[in-house]
mmCIF file of all heavy atoms in Angstrom:
data_model
loop_
_atom_site.group_PDB
_atom_site.id
_atom_site.type_symbol
_atom_site.label_atom_id
_atom_site.label_comp_id
_atom_site.label_asym_id
_atom_site.label_seq_id
_atom_site.Cartn_x
_atom_site.Cartn_y
_atom_site.Cartn_z
ATOM 1 N N GLU A 72 -14.802 -18.006 34.947
ATOM 2 C CA GLU A 72 -15.790 -17.019 34.536
ATOM 3 C C GLU A 72 -16.776 -16.726 35.664
ATOM 4 O O GLU A 72 -17.111 -15.566 35.924
ATOM 5 C CB GLU A 72 -16.542 -17.504 33.293
ATOM 6 C CG GLU A 72 -15.703 -17.566 32.040
ATOM 7 C CD GLU A 72 -14.889 -18.843 31.894
ATOM 8 O OE1 GLU A 72 -14.948 -19.717 32.791
ATOM 9 O OE2 GLU A 72 -14.169 -18.965 30.892
ATOM 10 N N LEU A 73 -17.220 -17.771 36.337
ATOM 11 C CA LEU A 73 -18.165 -17.597 37.436
ATOM 12 C C LEU A 73 -17.547 -16.791 38.577
ATOM 13 O O LEU A 73 -18.188 -15.871 39.113
ATOM 14 C CB LEU A 73 -18.634 -18.967 37.953
ATOM 15 C CG LEU A 73 -19.642 -18.939 39.090
ATOM 16 C CD1 LEU A 73 -20.937 -18.293 38.617
ATOM 17 C CD2 LEU A 73 -19.892 -20.343 39.602
ATOM 18 N N ILE A 74 -16.315 -17.100 38.932
ATOM 19 C CA ILE A 74 -15.630 -16.354 39.999
ATOM 20 C C ILE A 74 -15.470 -14.883 39.602
ATOM 21 O O ILE A 74 -15.711 -13.979 40.409
ATOM 22 C CB ILE A 74 -14.274 -17.007 40.329
ATOM 23 C CG1 ILE A 74 -14.493 -18.398 40.949
ATOM 24 C CG2 ILE A 74 -13.447 -16.126 41.258
ATOM 25 C CD1 ILE A 74 -13.237 -19.241 41.055
ATOM 26 N N ALA A 75 -15.071 -14.640 38.345
ATOM 27 C CA ALA A 75 -14.894 -13.258 37.884
ATOM 28 C C ALA A 75 -16.228 -12.508 37.898
ATOM 29 O O ALA A 75 -16.284 -11.340 38.291
ATOM 30 C CB ALA A 75 -14.288 -13.242 36.483
ATOM 31 N N ILE A 76 -17.311 -13.166 37.488
ATOM 32 C CA ILE A 76 -18.626 -12.520 37.498
ATOM 33 C C ILE A 76 -19.039 -12.171 38.919
ATOM 34 O O ILE A 76 -19.542 -11.071 39.183
ATOM 35 C CB ILE A 76 -19.675 -13.419 36.822
ATOM 36 C CG1 ILE A 76 -19.434 -13.460 35.316
ATOM 37 C CG2 ILE A 76 -21.087 -12.942 37.114
ATOM 38 C CD1 ILE A 76 -20.265 -14.489 34.589
ATOM 39 N N VAL A 77 -18.833 -13.094 39.844
ATOM 40 C CA VAL A 77 -19.179 -12.830 41.242
ATOM 41 C C VAL A 77 -18.372 -11.650 41.773
ATOM 42 O O VAL A 77 -18.908 -10.776 42.480
ATOM 43 C CB VAL A 77 -18.965 -14.095 42.107
ATOM 44 C CG1 VAL A 77 -19.031 -13.778 43.582
ATOM 45 C CG2 VAL A 77 -19.988 -15.155 41.732
ATOM 46 N N LEU A 78 -17.090 -11.587 41.419
ATOM 47 C CA LEU A 78 -16.265 -10.461 41.863
ATOM 48 C C LEU A 78 -16.734 -9.136 41.258
ATOM 49 O O LEU A 78 -16.741 -8.106 41.942
ATOM 50 C CB LEU A 78 -14.795 -10.712 41.530
ATOM 51 C CG LEU A 78 -14.096 -11.747 42.398
ATOM 52 C CD1 LEU A 78 -12.703 -12.057 41.851
ATOM 53 C CD2 LEU A 78 -13.995 -11.264 43.825
ATOM 54 N N VAL A 79 -17.105 -9.166 40.001
ATOM 55 C CA VAL A 79 -17.587 -7.939 39.349
ATOM 56 C C VAL A 79 -18.870 -7.458 40.015
ATOM 57 O O VAL A 79 -18.992 -6.283 40.386
ATOM 58 C CB VAL A 79 -17.807 -8.166 37.832
ATOM 59 C CG1 VAL A 79 -18.576 -7.012 37.217
ATOM 60 C CG2 VAL A 79 -16.488 -8.338 37.123
ATOM 61 N N VAL A 80 -19.816 -8.356 40.190
ATOM 62 C CA VAL A 80 -21.096 -7.972 40.801
ATOM 63 C C VAL A 80 -20.883 -7.509 42.238
ATOM 64 O O VAL A 80 -21.412 -6.477 42.669
ATOM 65 C CB VAL A 80 -22.110 -9.138 40.726
ATOM 66 C CG1 VAL A 80 -23.352 -8.846 41.537
ATOM 67 C CG2 VAL A 80 -22.474 -9.428 39.279
ATOM 68 N N GLY A 81 -20.080 -8.269 42.997
ATOM 69 C CA GLY A 81 -19.823 -7.899 44.389
ATOM 70 C C GLY A 81 -19.127 -6.567 44.531
ATOM 71 O O GLY A 81 -19.507 -5.732 45.369
ATOM 72 N N SER A 82 -18.112 -6.331 43.695
ATOM 73 C CA SER A 82 -17.400 -5.053 43.792
ATOM 74 C C SER A 82 -18.272 -3.895 43.333
ATOM 75 O O SER A 82 -18.164 -2.783 43.849
ATOM 76 C CB SER A 82 -16.094 -5.097 42.995
ATOM 77 O OG SER A 82 -16.351 -5.256 41.621
ATOM 78 N N TYR A 83 -19.185 -4.143 42.369
ATOM 79 C CA TYR A 83 -20.079 -3.072 41.942
ATOM 80 C C TYR A 83 -21.081 -2.731 43.044
ATOM 81 O O TYR A 83 -21.354 -1.555 43.304
ATOM 82 C CB TYR A 83 -20.818 -3.421 40.653
ATOM 83 C CG TYR A 83 -21.674 -2.279 40.197
ATOM 84 C CD1 TYR A 83 -21.104 -1.175 39.574
ATOM 85 C CD2 TYR A 83 -23.038 -2.260 40.435
ATOM 86 C CE1 TYR A 83 -21.881 -0.093 39.188
ATOM 87 C CE2 TYR A 83 -23.816 -1.186 40.060
ATOM 88 C CZ TYR A 83 -23.233 -0.109 39.432
ATOM 89 O OH TYR A 83 -23.994 0.961 39.065
ATOM 90 N N ILE A 84 -21.626 -3.753 43.695
ATOM 91 C CA ILE A 84 -22.559 -3.506 44.799
ATOM 92 C C ILE A 84 -21.854 -2.769 45.932
ATOM 93 O O ILE A 84 -22.410 -1.874 46.564
ATOM 94 C CB ILE A 84 -23.175 -4.834 45.287
ATOM 95 C CG1 ILE A 84 -24.121 -5.382 44.219
ATOM 96 C CG2 ILE A 84 -23.893 -4.665 46.623
ATOM 97 C CD1 ILE A 84 -24.623 -6.795 44.502
ATOM 98 N N TRP A 85 -20.589 -3.124 46.148
ATOM 99 C CA TRP A 85 -19.820 -2.530 47.237
ATOM 100 C C TRP A 85 -19.451 -1.073 46.960
ATOM 101 O O TRP A 85 -19.663 -0.191 47.774
ATOM 102 C CB TRP A 85 -18.573 -3.376 47.482
ATOM 103 C CG TRP A 85 -17.618 -2.862 48.497
ATOM 104 C CD1 TRP A 85 -17.908 -2.372 49.729
ATOM 105 C CD2 TRP A 85 -16.202 -2.796 48.373
ATOM 106 N NE1 TRP A 85 -16.763 -2.009 50.394
ATOM 107 C CE2 TRP A 85 -15.691 -2.264 49.569
ATOM 108 C CE3 TRP A 85 -15.312 -3.151 47.361
ATOM 109 C CZ2 TRP A 85 -14.335 -2.069 49.783
ATOM 110 C CZ3 TRP A 85 -13.972 -2.963 47.585
ATOM 111 C CH2 TRP A 85 -13.493 -2.421 48.787
ATOM 112 N N LYS A 86 -18.883 -0.788 45.774
ATOM 113 C CA LYS A 86 -18.360 0.551 45.473
ATOM 114 C C LYS A 86 -19.181 1.367 44.481
ATOM 115 O O LYS A 86 -18.943 2.564 44.321
ATOM 116 C CB LYS A 86 -16.920 0.437 44.932
ATOM 117 C CG LYS A 86 -15.902 0.076 45.968
ATOM 118 C CD LYS A 86 -15.715 1.236 46.901
ATOM 119 C CE LYS A 86 -14.582 0.969 47.864
ATOM 120 N NZ LYS A 86 -14.360 2.069 48.768
ATOM 121 N N ARG A 87 -20.096 0.739 43.748
ATOM 122 C CA ARG A 87 -20.894 1.427 42.719
ATOM 123 C C ARG A 87 -20.011 2.135 41.691
ATOM 124 O O ARG A 87 -20.275 3.255 41.270
ATOM 125 C CB ARG A 87 -21.858 2.440 43.335
ATOM 126 C CG ARG A 87 -22.876 1.848 44.239
ATOM 127 C CD ARG A 87 -24.017 1.291 43.463
ATOM 128 N NE ARG A 87 -25.003 0.742 44.399
ATOM 129 C CZ ARG A 87 -25.816 -0.236 44.088
ATOM 130 N NH1 ARG A 87 -25.795 -0.761 42.902
ATOM 131 N NH2 ARG A 87 -26.665 -0.696 44.979
ATOM 132 N N ASN A 88 -18.939 1.460 41.282
ATOM 133 C CA ASN A 88 -17.996 2.012 40.316
ATOM 134 C C ASN A 88 -17.810 0.988 39.195
ATOM 135 O O ASN A 88 -17.162 -0.044 39.383
ATOM 136 C CB ASN A 88 -16.660 2.330 41.005
ATOM 137 C CG ASN A 88 -15.699 3.046 40.097
ATOM 138 O OD1 ASN A 88 -15.699 2.854 38.890
ATOM 139 N ND2 ASN A 88 -14.878 3.883 40.691
#
Side-chain angles (χ1 to χ4, degrees):
E72 292 84 359
L73 181 64
I74 294 168
I76 289 170
V77 168
L78 287 172
V79 168
V80 171
S82 64
Y83 183 77
I84 290 171
W85 176 46
K86 287 290 187 179
R87 298 278 181 208
N88 186 329

